[in-house]
Amino acid sequence: MFRAFTEHPESVGETYLEHMHSASWFAMTMFVGGLACLVHAILPFACQKSGSRRIRDLYERMVTNRHRAPQTVGVETQGFLGYAEGI
């Protein structure tokens, strides 16, 4: 059971706590970006670049600056609780 908490963080080169911090940053960034998009939907003159700026920041941090740990050959990954791959 403990392995379920450490397998994915190790696959991206992080400890459990480092991964929790990083995932929390992503969650808050998406939440704030979503709020900005809702404000923009109601007030088109407001938050005109907030959503796209957050998407760019998320992309840069997740894809451009990613440092993955080496993958072990033959290790099958599971999704959330073994159900959804990629969650």
Side-chain angles (χ1 to χ4, degrees):
M1 179 65 173
F2 181 73
R3 188 80 187 126
F5 289 95
T6 59
E7 185 173 5
H8 172 65
E10 287 174 0
S11 75
V12 294
E14 297 173 334
T15 67
Y16 175 78
L17 292 176
E18 288 171 336
H19 188 71
M20 183 171 61
H21 177 266
S22 180
S24 297
W25 180 86
F26 275 89
M28 288 304 299
T29 300
M30 287 190 282
F31 180 75
V32 170
L35 289 177
C37 289
L38 285 173
V39 168
H40 178 71
I42 297 165
L43 307 169
F45 56 86
C47 305
Q48 293 181 18
K49 296 184 180 184
S50 298
S52 58
R53 185 174 49 245
R54 286 189 176 22
I55 290 169
R56 185 193 66 233
D57 292 346
L58 289 166
Y59 180 83
E60 287 177 0
R61 185 160 175 183
M62 180 178 273
V63 178
T64 306
N65 298 319
R66 173 174 278 174
H67 296 48
R68 280 190 165 270
Q71 296 294 315
T72 306
V73 177
V75 174
E76 187 175 316
T77 60
Q78 291 184 353
F80 180 69
L81 298 178
Y83 291 106
E85 180 62 37
I87 291 183

